[in-house]
Amino acid sequence: MLKKSLLTLAAATAAMLALASCGQGAGAGSQDKAAGTVSITHAQGTQDVPLNPAKVYTFDLGVLDTLDALDVPVSGIPQVSLPASLTAYGSPDIQNIGTMKEPDFEAISAGAPDLIISGRTAGSYAELSKIAPTIDLSISAKAPMDSFKAATASLGQIFGKEAEVAAKIAAIDTKVAATKATAPAAGTGLIVMTSGGELTAYGAGSRFGLIHDVLGVPTAAEVKAEGSHGEAISFEYIAKSNPGSLYVIDRDVAMGESKGAAEAVLNNALVKGTDAAKNSRISYLDPASWYLIGYGLNNVDAMVDAVATSVAKA
């Protein structure tokens, strides 16, 4: 009887150990799964994102530029006239996921992405999040470089590219510091965008505020604007501001509508009378770089170079 009881106890103990072992296995599996994600804080909250997601869709051309710089493959982008630096993503192998502002939810859902990065589609964040983990890496005009670095660091975490990101950011910081040290001596600057013959000025804190806020070019005028929109101006405004440097972005070229329109629009006596014109310091910035791409790892480097070249002319 005692022998039978001992056998029963041994069997029960073995069963309990087996159950405990199964439980530990399940726990380890959950931990492994958790270790395969990273929590990303972004413009619309916090999101757990898979590490090294295989299929990435992005509506943000700045992010696309960064992923290109980091050699991270992208599977889907919106239908857009791609700038020369990103034409490789016009391949038929890249999924069309809508437009820059209107996602094709059906196509995105059918494509089953592992990660979606919103851009100008930030207003559709909630709907996109129902399809796959979604993050909004929009850049803050109030703190462009800080938010750019934070967004880029997040991408480095997601794709295991922290070292590459750190090296590229350090190189950009060096260029920024050198440009900022010489910019004030070059005099004031005014940022103007031309579109359909109309003029709009942008100042500090604007979508193009990198020139003033980060690179230290003094403002030639106090531009009145709200959000990402600039202030509608006239040729008289430019003449009165009399900038030492004039930075011009041709939106028509960026949108593929015409070439050389900005030069024709600004070819008048009022603009020619400014110090910028007299000293050959009107810089026609790359429209795709400034208007379409914006804050990407390769592109920020190019934008800093453009301004550095301008202030070096003084």
Side-chain angles (χ1 to χ4, degrees), residues 33-242:
K33 184 177 180 181
T37 65
V38 60
S39 181
I40 298 297
T41 299
H42 58 97
Q44 300 198 47
T46 301
Q47 174 67 55
D48 288 336
V49 172
L51 290 171
N52 292 307
K55 184 176 282 191
V56 180
Y57 288 175
T58 180
F59 287 90
D60 189 321
L61 293 187
V63 167
L64 180 63
D65 179 80
T66 293
L67 296 180
D68 184 68
L70 297 175
D71 294 321
V72 173
V74 173
S75 300
I77 65 169
Q79 184 177 5
V80 62
S81 178
L82 289 167
S85 62
L86 299 174
T87 51
Y89 297 94
S91 163
D93 296 332
I94 304 296
Q95 174 71 44
N96 179 353
I97 57 174
T99 68
M100 292 285 281
K101 294 184 178 180
E102 296 183 5
D104 183 339
F105 295 106
E106 186 175 345
I108 295 169
S109 182
D114 300 302
L115 173 65
I116 302 171
I117 304 172
S118 64
R120 296 184 186 181
T121 57
S124 299
Y125 174 81
E127 293 176 81
L128 291 170
S129 295
K130 295 176 183 177
I131 300 173
T134 302
I135 54 177
D136 178 2
L137 298 181
S138 299
I139 302 302
S140 167
K142 294 181 179 179
M145 284 302 287
D146 287 344
S147 58
F148 161 64
K149 289 178 181 180
T152 308
S154 293
L155 292 172
Q157 284 184 286
I158 294 169
F159 296 99
K161 300 280 187 176
E162 291 96 335
E164 291 93 328
V165 166
K168 289 180 182 293
I169 290 295
I172 290 172
D173 281 342
T174 299
K175 286 187 178 183
V176 167
T179 305
K180 191 172 183 178
T182 58
T188 63
L190 180 66
I191 309 166
V192 173
M193 184 169 73
T194 64
S195 178
E198 301 296 323
L199 303 175
T200 308
Y202 291 82
S206 73
R207 62 186 299 180
F208 307 123
L210 173 84
I211 292 172
H212 301 304
D213 304 322
V214 177
L215 298 176
V217 175
T219 55
E222 185 177 343
V223 179
K224 298 176 182 178
E226 293 183 6
S228 63
H229 302 287
E231 177 184 358
I233 63 169
S234 63
F235 297 121
E236 287 78 10
Y237 180 99
I238 297 176
K240 183 178 180 181
S241 301
N242 191 27

Side-chain angles (χ1 to χ4, degrees), residues 218-284:
T219 55
E222 185 177 343
V223 179
K224 298 176 182 178
E226 293 183 6
S228 63
H229 302 287
E231 177 184 358
I233 63 169
S234 63
F235 297 121
E236 287 78 10
Y237 180 99
I238 297 176
K240 183 178 180 181
S241 301
N242 191 27
S245 296
L246 188 59
Y247 298 95
V248 184
I249 300 161
D250 191 330
R251 182 181 179 277
D252 295 325
V253 171
M255 303 307 292
E257 295 174 3
S258 64
K259 293 183 179 181
E263 289 93 329
V265 169
L266 296 174
N267 184 21
N268 61 69
L270 287 171
V271 175
K272 288 180 179 180
T274 62
D275 288 344
K278 291 175 182 177
N279 296 315
S280 301
R281 294 182 58 201
I282 298 180
S283 300
Y284 291 93

